[in-house]
Amino acid sequence: MSMTGAMSSAIAGLKTHMQALNVVGNNIANVNTYGYKAQRITFKESLYNTLSAGSEGTNTVGSTNPQQIGYGCTVGTIDLDMSSGDLSATGRDLDCAIKGDGFFLVGNKTITIDSAADVNNLTLTRVGDFDFRDGYLTDGQGNVVYGFLASTVTDPDTGAQGAAGTTVGDISTALVPIRLPMRSTDPNTLGSAVYVGIGADGKNIDPTTDVDGYINYTNLSIDANGKIICTNEDTAEEVVVGYIALGTVENPAGVLHQDGPYYQAGAAAGSVTVSAPNSAVTGYLNNGKLLDAAGAAPDPNSMLLANSGTGLMTSFLEGSGTDLATEFSNMIVYQRGYQANTRIVTVTDSMLEELVNMKR
């Protein structure tokens, strides 16, 4: 290994410590970002140059160890710390924070959950800054929140859904965008809530007759079970809109970070398991009609909604996971490491200069 090997090692060290400072800088920049998960970087040794291989002992001499010189260091891992952060009070009834593991499931309005693999098409987030816009429950970026809607059971023989305004006896376990019930235009039940129905195939059936837009509501709130309740302005009746769904993965630190507070469940994270906060909704996902990836009906027991002891804290959002004391300490350590590597470059340069000047 030539003398320039020391400079190569130092340059590798400079690059790695710069990456470490980038991680620290990003953590500190997001100290007030709701739901932010701090990153941690680890180093690993780089390639080694073997000067001589080791040998085993003989009857006359002992064994010898190998002689190797490394080429510096490189980034080993950059991990997400997915532990729950501190909660920040907001005073908004529709803000939600998850107490424990799990994610809210969000996406656009057109995602259809027909197979177990389709759940992975939804985006994961820990930031529950929710509001109703155009009848749909959305987060601050306009993504629709997925969950389970209050429903009336549809007669599979007649297709009848029941009269508008009747008491809802079921919560559909089809995973769909959360939206308000429709508003009845039937003179006998004017203004009452008309809910989606559950067809014989387990799919939700939208009301199409005697409805005009969504109900007029007041006093909208979400409880610890993810249950969304409001008051129908036209009838003064309490209306259960539905329940927010939660998703969990086998390896939370393996999710792929997207832009903003969003994650995608990839191969490292594993598949998404769906539940409701505090197991408030039970039954078969998609009303027992969810198909496996091959299109064949699986064992129904494998598609049960997962049990969840995780609840919600309403009027709170999860704070940033950045620990400033830790980040400032790491910044000092990485800065000194960077500085030490620059000294290797300086000393190696001086030695090379002496070598060039030998002829004088």
Side-chain angles (χ1 to χ4, degrees):
M1 186 176 183
S2 67
M3 194 183 304
T4 56
M7 187 171 289
S8 297
S9 296
I11 291 172
L14 289 171
K15 290 180 178 179
T16 306
H17 280 82
M18 191 69 251
Q19 293 283 39
L21 286 171
N22 288 338
V23 170
V24 170
N26 187 53
N27 287 340
I28 293 176
N30 286 282
V31 67
N32 290 315
T33 302
Y34 287 126
Y36 177 74
K37 299 303 179 185
Q39 295 177 295
R40 182 197 67 169
I41 188 171
T42 63
F43 295 174
K44 70 176 182 179
E45 300 167 89
S46 194
L47 295 173
Y48 276 82
N49 178 34
T50 301
L51 303 180
S52 66
S55 63
E56 63 182 344
T58 67
N59 293 333
T60 57
V61 297
S63 61
T64 60
N65 294 329
Q67 298 179 16
Q68 295 177 295
I69 297 178
Y71 282 93
C73 65
T74 186
V75 174
T77 62
I78 300 178
D79 305 310
L80 284 171
D81 181 2
M82 297 301 293
S83 57
S84 299
D86 295 332
L87 301 184
S88 299
T90 65
R92 291 187 71 252
D93 291 338
L94 295 187
D95 283 345
C96 296
I98 300 173
K99 295 170 56 180
D101 295 333
F103 302 88
F104 298 112
L105 302 171
V106 300
N108 59 48
K109 300 176 184 178
T110 61
I111 297 175
T112 301
I113 309 298
D114 281 332
S115 69
D118 290 340
V119 180
N120 284 46
N121 293 331
L122 296 175
T123 303
L124 313 176
T125 182
R126 295 275 299 184
V127 181
D129 55 338
F130 300 145
D131 205 351
F132 272 94
R133 299 179 179 91
D134 301 323
Y136 284 83
L137 184 65
T138 64
D139 67 7
Q141 306 302 312
N143 293 292
V144 179
V145 182
Y146 275 67
F148 315 105
L149 291 180
S151 306
T152 55
V153 177
T154 300
D155 188 324
D157 297 321
T158 65
Q161 190 187 35
T166 57
T167 302
V168 178
D170 289 274
I171 297 294
S172 168
T173 55
L175 188 61
V176 295
I178 296 177
R179 66 184 190 186
L180 294 168
M182 305 299 289
R183 182 179 182 275
S184 173
T185 57
D186 186 328
N188 297 317
T189 57
L190 185 64
S192 297
V194 182
Y195 303 89
V196 297
I198 305 174
D201 61 353
K203 300 294 184 181
N204 283 359
I205 300 175
D206 292 339
T208 56
T209 59
D210 298 327
V211 293
D212 179 21
Y214 300 104
I215 61 169
N216 300 314
Y217 65 89
T218 58
N219 304 323
L220 191 67
S221 64
I222 302 173
D223 69 11
N225 296 327
K227 184 179 181 180
I228 306 169
I229 306 171
C230 67
T231 301
N232 188 336
E233 271 192 342
D234 294 322
T235 63
E237 294 175 334
E238 181 180 275
V239 173
V240 176
V241 177
Y243 287 77
I244 294 173
L246 295 179
T248 56
V249 293
E250 298 171 7
N251 176 25
V255 294
L256 184 62
H257 204 161
Q258 307 291 311
D259 184 40
Y262 302 114
Y263 304 90
Q264 200 71 43
S271 59
V272 179
T273 301
V274 181
S275 63
N278 294 320
S279 299
V281 177
T282 59
Y284 297 107
L285 184 60
N286 226 49
N287 295 299
K289 300 299 181 180
L290 193 65
L291 304 181
D292 62 17
D299 178 2
N301 292 325
S302 67
M303 303 312 299
L304 281 170
L305 287 172
N307 291 325
S308 172
T310 300
L312 302 182
M313 281 286 290
T314 55
S315 300
F316 286 85
L317 290 176
E318 184 177 7
S320 171
T322 297
D323 183 337
L324 277 179
T326 298
E327 298 305 327
F328 282 135
S329 298
N330 287 340
M331 183 169 59
I332 293 171
V333 170
Y334 297 145
Q335 191 271 338
R336 291 304 182 191
Y338 189 92
Q339 186 180 37
N341 278 276
T342 63
R343 295 293 183 267
I344 296 296
V345 174
T346 302
V347 171
T348 304
D349 176 58
S350 298
M351 294 175 70
L352 289 171
E353 183 180 10
E354 290 297 323
L355 180 62
V356 171
N357 293 334
M358 282 180 63
K359 187 176 178 181
R360 295 180 180 178

